[in-house]
Amino acid sequence: MCLAIPGKIVQLFPDQPQTAMVDVVGVRRKVDLGLLQDQPPVAGDWVLIHVGFAMSKISEQDANDQMRTLRMLGEAEAAMQEVQGYGLEQS
Amino acid sequence: MKFVDEFREPEVITRTAAEIRRLADANRHYRIMEVCGGHTHAIYRFGLKDLLPSNIELIHGPGCPVCVLPMGRIDDGLSIAQQPDVIFAAFGDMMRVPGTRGSPLEHKARGMDVRIVYSPSDALKLAQTNPDKHVMFFAIGFETTAPSTALTLVRAKNQGVHNFSVFCNHVTIIPAIRAILDSPDMRIDAFIGPGHVSTVIGCRPYEWIAKDEDKPVAVSGFEPLDILQSIVMVLRQLKADEAKIENQYKRVVPWEGNRAALRAMAEVFELRPYFEWRGLGFISQSALRIRDSYAGWDAEQRFHVPGVRVTDPKAAQCGEVLKGVLKPHQCKLFGKECTPEHPIGALMVSSEGSCAAYFNYEHRKTAMVTSIESVA
Ligand code: SF4
């Protein structure tokens, strides 16, 4: 739960400025941008996601490294399950 | 050391491990606490202990949010959900944590409406799609998760969603570190600081640890090299008789933290005068409660909460393990009554809990080696 998930912002919604579509290794889900108010991301930026909220902007290199760390920790599957679950898609 | 080849930069890892051996004074025993459960998991998973000299002992800290939550709070949350038309929503990590009469999952099997959510905002969404029910979100976590709960409450208030509440169990990391340093049976030489908590709070809140307690801190990332580099950082300080806060995880952690997240927390939460932690007891100003301006969304104010204190099963030594006084395998129940499949204590449930981490990597490894040896 304490390990953040890296994702790429692929779409912003002008009518919903608090929301962005992110791509996490091919899975697209909406995340909340409210915690990045002071440094609003643009499409193409990489972010660390925690429980459905983008927490910090990171470099693409760091995003790749973080995904690799999750894989090595055996947490990648749980992370993907979490991402897939965002928006109650699974329930 | 087969693992080293799989690491991203094996030569750098080997070099850093050599640097650690060079820095560690053979006549000294070092006790370094990694505060965060994510680090505990990584240390076991990557077998980092095998890269360290035997006089460096890593002590697992209190940074696993489900582990430090006393059983009474789980019972309290479940008792709210026992009321008619209440949906109990929580993260997957919570589902198998034992309460006195079973875990949330076991309550679900007995008919309680229990749902896994992956984000607090999804719990709010659940309330919006179930207007005839009340959704109670069982919130846990340190400062990494608390801002997301806070923003969700702001959204609930702004959107006028009244069939939603939060049972707040958010805790704060600094008072826990203070309690450990104040505890007479603990001796810690240095800290590996939590990475993702620090993206929110920044590095400043740790400064007293260096200034008043004379202990080095390195805020660390989660890769094997990050953790080893952080150990180098604190060993260098100890060798030079220094104590300061170093940020090994600069690429993610800004010194000042995330101000928007801190603002959201300040808007919604205030400090509780005290809160009970498993193993550490009551710690003053160590947890968050929902401000009166959000009372309508505070499950503790909306529902009757029994608030009964429950002690852990007698033989369970979760408290001692949480404080780092005992190693996981020294608990009498470890690997016998208590396993990841049948957890007695929360430390065996979460992958960040030291008992689960120890069981999954150390214990299974040893069991495998012994069985291979017995065949040979
Ligand atoms: S083995 Fe089980 S009972 Fe013993 S300390 Fe660990 S979680 Fe608690």
Side-chain angles (χ1 to χ4, degrees):
Chain A
M1 207 186 78
C2 288
L3 294 167
I5 304 168
K8 184 182 187 171
I9 308 259
V10 290
Q11 196 184 349
L12 295 163
F13 303 95
D15 54 325
Q16 286 172 281
Q18 304 279 31
T19 310
M21 184 73 79
V22 292
D23 182 304
V24 183
V25 272
V27 175
R28 292 187 170 205
R29 286 291 180 275
K30 283 183 181 167
V31 297
D32 197 302
L33 294 183
L35 299 175
L36 287 183
Q37 261 169 28
D38 297 351
Q39 28 161 351
V42 295
D45 279 351
W46 290 82
V47 289
L48 279 181
I49 307 156
H50 186 76
V51 299
F53 288 70
M55 293 289 296
S56 35
K57 287 205 268 187
I58 52 170
S59 69
E60 179 171 1
Q61 168 76 42
D62 288 333
N64 289 334
D65 290 349
Q66 176 69 8
M67 207 57 215
R68 200 191 138 89
T69 306
L70 288 177
R71 266 189 220 114
M72 288 177 69
L73 278 173
E75 289 284 328
E77 221 173 286
M80 289 319 291
Q81 197 186 351
E82 171 171 337
V83 172
Q84 263 152 4
Y86 290 159
L88 301 176
E89 250 86 351
Q90 299 277 299
S91 63
Chain B
M1 252 169 256
K2 63 161 182 57
F3 237 127
V4 174
D5 312 333
E6 293 172 34
F7 293 157
R8 198 152 50 90
E9 294 164 289
E11 14 15 274
V12 191
I13 297 269
T14 316
R15 234 184 301 130
T16 313
E19 173 75 358
I20 291 176
R21 280 192 296 277
R22 201 182 59 74
L23 283 167
D25 177 349
N27 299 314
R28 199 172 158 182
H29 185 84
Y30 298 88
R31 287 168 57 93
I32 302 175
M33 174 174 274
E34 86 278 2
V35 175
C36 167
H39 285 145
T40 304
H41 182 180
I43 285 162
Y44 280 116
R45 173 73 180 107
F46 299 139
L48 294 186
K49 235 178 54 192
D50 300 346
L51 297 176
L52 301 178
S54 57
N55 59 332
I56 296 187
E57 191 184 348
L58 295 176
I59 311 289
H60 316 310
C64 158
V66 300
C67 304
V68 296
L69 195 64
M71 203 182 257
R73 291 294 287 183
I74 299 157
D75 288 353
D76 283 346
L78 288 166
S79 88
I80 294 174
Q82 224 112 38
Q83 320 202 19
D85 295 324
V86 174
I87 298 177
F88 178 101
F91 295 142
D93 303 46
M94 266 316 297
M95 290 296 153
R96 293 173 59 241
V97 178
T100 313
R101 280 173 295 278
S103 64
L105 217 55
E106 286 163 310
H107 279 74
K108 184 184 170 80
R110 295 197 287 264
M112 184 180 280
D113 195 347
V114 172
R115 314 274 183 106
I116 295 181
V117 289
Y118 293 96
S119 166
S121 61
D122 287 339
L124 178 60
K125 206 165 160 190
L126 200 60
Q128 288 168 307
T129 49
N130 291 276
D132 49 340
K133 300 263 161 110
H134 181 93
V135 173
M136 185 209 69
F137 176 61
F138 191 104
I140 52 162
F142 285 91
E143 287 94 333
T144 336
T145 337
S148 306
T149 305
L151 259 196
T152 302
L153 283 166
V154 171
R155 304 262 145 86
K157 189 176 185 178
N158 289 345
Q159 294 167 23
V161 185
H162 293 284
N163 61 328
F164 175 73
S165 65
V166 168
F167 183 58
C168 183
N169 294 287
H170 286 299
V171 281
T172 58
I173 197 72
I174 296 293
I177 297 177
R178 197 181 289 277
I180 283 165
L181 283 169
D182 285 347
S183 164
D185 49 356
M186 291 301 294
R187 191 184 61 77
I188 305 287
D189 297 300
F191 290 92
I192 304 293
H196 292 147
V197 162
S198 307
T199 59
V200 174
I201 65 173
C203 296
R204 231 178 258 290
Y206 304 110
E207 276 172 348
W208 63 274
I209 303 175
K211 233 188 262 142
D212 306 343
E213 302 285 337
D214 231 8
K215 313 277 185 207
V217 179
V219 170
S220 178
F222 295 88
E223 290 185 48
L225 187 57
D226 289 330
I227 298 173
L228 293 177
Q229 276 174 349
S230 301
I231 295 175
V232 167
M233 282 176 164
V234 296
L235 285 177
R236 280 214 182 107
Q237 290 192 42
L238 289 170
K239 189 169 185 133
D241 220 354
E242 275 180 341
K244 58 186 179 196
I245 314 305
E246 287 187 89
N247 187 0
Q248 187 279 334
Y249 203 26
K250 272 200 191 96
R251 57 190 200 271
V252 173
V253 172
W255 190 264
E256 300 293 336
N258 178 335
R259 285 171 188 269
L262 293 170
R263 278 199 309 272
M265 281 168 67
E267 154 79 18
V268 175
F269 299 128
E270 59 191 14
L271 284 171
R272 290 177 195 266
Y274 52 84
F275 193 72
E276 189 185 6
W277 293 55
R278 174 177 282 133
L280 300 172
F282 286 92
I283 307 178
S284 54
Q285 310 208 310
S286 65
L288 303 174
R289 66 179 287 270
I290 296 170
R291 284 185 188 279
D292 284 344
S293 47
Y294 285 82
W297 291 270
D298 182 356
E300 280 175 272
Q301 299 197 49
R302 279 186 70 150
F303 297 94
H304 167 74
V305 179
V308 180
R309 283 191 67 203
V310 191
T311 47
D312 283 335
K314 249 226 222 80
Q317 287 172 295
C318 309
E320 279 77 11
V321 174
L322 265 175
K323 278 206 289 187
V325 176
L326 286 186
K327 301 278 176 224
H329 66 279
Q330 293 170 325
C331 168
K332 290 194 259 325
L333 303 184
F334 180 88
K336 298 181 192 91
E337 288 88 343
C338 188
T339 62
E341 288 74 30
H342 297 282
I344 306 273
L347 287 74
M348 201 48 113
V349 177
S350 166
S351 61
E352 289 159 17
S354 43
C355 293
Y358 193 98
F359 189 93
N360 287 330
Y361 303 117
E362 284 298 309
H363 185 69
R364 289 207 161 122
K365 193 169 79 189
T366 330
M368 221 159 71
V369 171
T370 340
S371 71
I372 291 169
E373 276 169 357
S374 66
V375 170

